[in-house]
Amino acid sequence: MPTGTYSLIHQPCVPVRWRPGTVAPDTGPLPDRVGLRELLLRSHDIEALAVVDAPAHAALLRILYALTARVSGLTEQGARGDWDERRLKVLDAGQLPPDGIEEYFREFEERFFLFAPGGRPWMQDPRLAEQCDGANTAGVNKLIVTRPSGNNHSWFRHDTDTAPEPPSAPEAFLSLLVWHYYGPAGRCSSREVNGVKSASATAGPLRTALSYHPEGTSLLETLLAGLVPPEDSVIGREDLCPWEQDDLPDPDRPPRVSMGPRSRHTGRSQHALLLLPDEDSTHVRDAFITWAYRGERMPREDDYLIWQTSQQGNRYPRPADAGRALWRDLDALLLQHPPAGSAHPQQPRVFRSAVEVSEDLRVRALGFDQEGQAKDTQFIAASTPPVLGYAEDNDPRTVPAVGRLRQFGEMFGRRLDRAVKRAWAAYVGDAKADGAAWAAEAGSRYWPRAEAEFWARFRLLDRSGEAADGGFDPAATRRAFLRLAEEAYDAVTAPVTGTVRGAKAVSQARLDLYRSGTKPPSAKLPSTRVKTKEPAG
């Protein structure tokens, strides 16, 4: 019999947004939160998750993908290799299999308690109560990443470690996920295992990364599209999530090897946590947070990231950058081998099969702009219009035009950045001046308008297959982005053009909008000789 408290299966722990027209139950209005059982049973009635914090959203999706695959019988290719057909059958049924959902949660009911005194709480290690110092716990402010703890700055609210406000169980549940996927590297609470104490953790598997997820018109479509086909070698009964394992991992041994998509996306945490509930088991009063494996790091494998290659030949995920708009990654999502320079980006594996669920899928990007160790900067959440119908396998004639469209937008963004920096260096007479203020203002003027221009031209691309390159017009596209760069450059540099020195600097540096391959501003100050005629755009 279950021995824990606060069941994630039944208690309302996941915020959701219902589809328009969904009928409310006789007992009252549609709830804002649901438990995992109701979420899966009514995924066809739910439009999307309503998780505000982007890293928690990305982490929760990976948990839900694993649950969806299991309850739908999609954990392996099968003897006939008909995984794709079986997934479409679930989609055609219009809901996830109710019998599979009920059977699964009956089998693992004891493993889904957020608090389980004397038992095994979900995604936690009860051994920490003995292995860590009870007088030096992490505290709830450290558990909730949006709160300040220690000497960290405040994000959304002011909290003090001397009088912390206990978070609710649903809030702690989502923060637990953030720690498992995005936890920092560096010093943590000391943990003693086999007589040896250590207090150093490795960064979480998604730390600094931006993940990309196909998104449909219902949560059912989203979850099915987000499933990654298991490799032919995957055996479903061996590809287990952490809570399905018979035993807790040994922190003194190397991390467990992933046996397929489910373990790959749920069992790669580098942190061990234990939440301590209050007397009513409705809030968390304290927490242990420490390392999961001593000196060992799991290989970074994930099917929802754009993978790139460094100049040294190392593979790494494209980092989350709060200043980079999602449209700039679009061709890397649609093309299996996008033309993006020396980084050789690789399309997230999930997009190779997602379009089979629907051609009208959007892309949602979720991440955390942060450093590898402790510094956190900003959550990132963005989405596109329906774009996966343009995927390379589905629309091979149009997708190259998407890449060229993106390249034009980025090219003039780079030229604008270089031009304003060069103008500033010439104006102040210092070749080492970086012109960061001008560059930031120019970027804030250019990139939002460039994004609007990109989507306007994207919507005009022909998908009938009759027009070469989808009807893409390179000359008109070049003129459009150049005009945006010119307008941003003129607006930023206008305040100094009233002086002779300023006019000369601005006029000369403006030429960088029309050419590539020039030296950076720090190499040599540009000439201040005025040219009365500029090359045609």
Side-chain angles (χ1 to χ4, degrees), residues 209-273:
L210 187 64
S211 61
Y212 304 85
H213 303 268
E215 187 173 70
T217 58
S218 69
L219 184 59
L220 173 66
E221 275 192 2
T222 297
L223 295 179
L224 291 175
L227 297 185
V228 175
E231 297 84 353
D232 293 339
S233 59
V234 171
I235 300 174
R237 64 178 180 275
E238 297 178 356
D239 184 24
L240 301 178
C241 300
W243 58 89
E244 298 167 353
Q245 297 277 355
D246 290 336
D247 301 311
L248 292 167
D250 186 346
D252 252 352
R253 296 180 62 85
R256 289 169 173 163
V257 177
S258 295
M259 304 301 291
R262 299 180 71 244
S263 56
R264 183 161 64 240
H265 299 131
T266 63
R268 312 199 67 78
S269 178
Q270 297 289 152
H271 293 80
L273 295 93

Side-chain angles (χ1 to χ4, degrees), residues 416-417 419-428 434-445 488-489 491-497 502 505-506 509:
L416 171 64
D417 183 78
V420 294
K421 288 180 178 178
R422 185 175 292 244
W424 177 258
Y427 175 64
V428 300
D434 63 6
W438 269 13
E441 183 181 352
S444 67
R445 291 176 179 273
Y489 181 84
V492 171
T493 59
V496 304
T497 56
V506 169

Side-chain angles (χ1 to χ4, degrees), residues 387-441:
V387 296
L388 289 194
Y390 291 87
E392 184 173 14
D393 291 340
N394 199 51
D395 196 359
R397 297 192 66 184
T398 301
V399 171
V402 177
R404 296 182 67 192
L405 183 57
R406 189 269 307 166
Q407 288 174 325
F408 271 117
E410 290 208 326
M411 178 179 70
F412 285 105
R414 289 193 300 269
R415 291 184 182 183
L416 171 64
D417 183 78
R418 184 176 62 236
V420 294
K421 288 180 178 178
R422 185 175 292 244
W424 177 258
Y427 175 64
V428 300
D430 181 0
K432 295 183 179 180
D434 63 6
W438 269 13
E441 183 181 352

Side-chain angles (χ1 to χ4, degrees), residues 133-152:
D133 183 0
N136 290 288
T137 55
V140 295
N141 287 343
K142 191 173 184 66
L143 171 68
I144 309 299
V145 296
T146 54
R147 295 187 186 184
S149 64
N151 295 322
N152 294 338

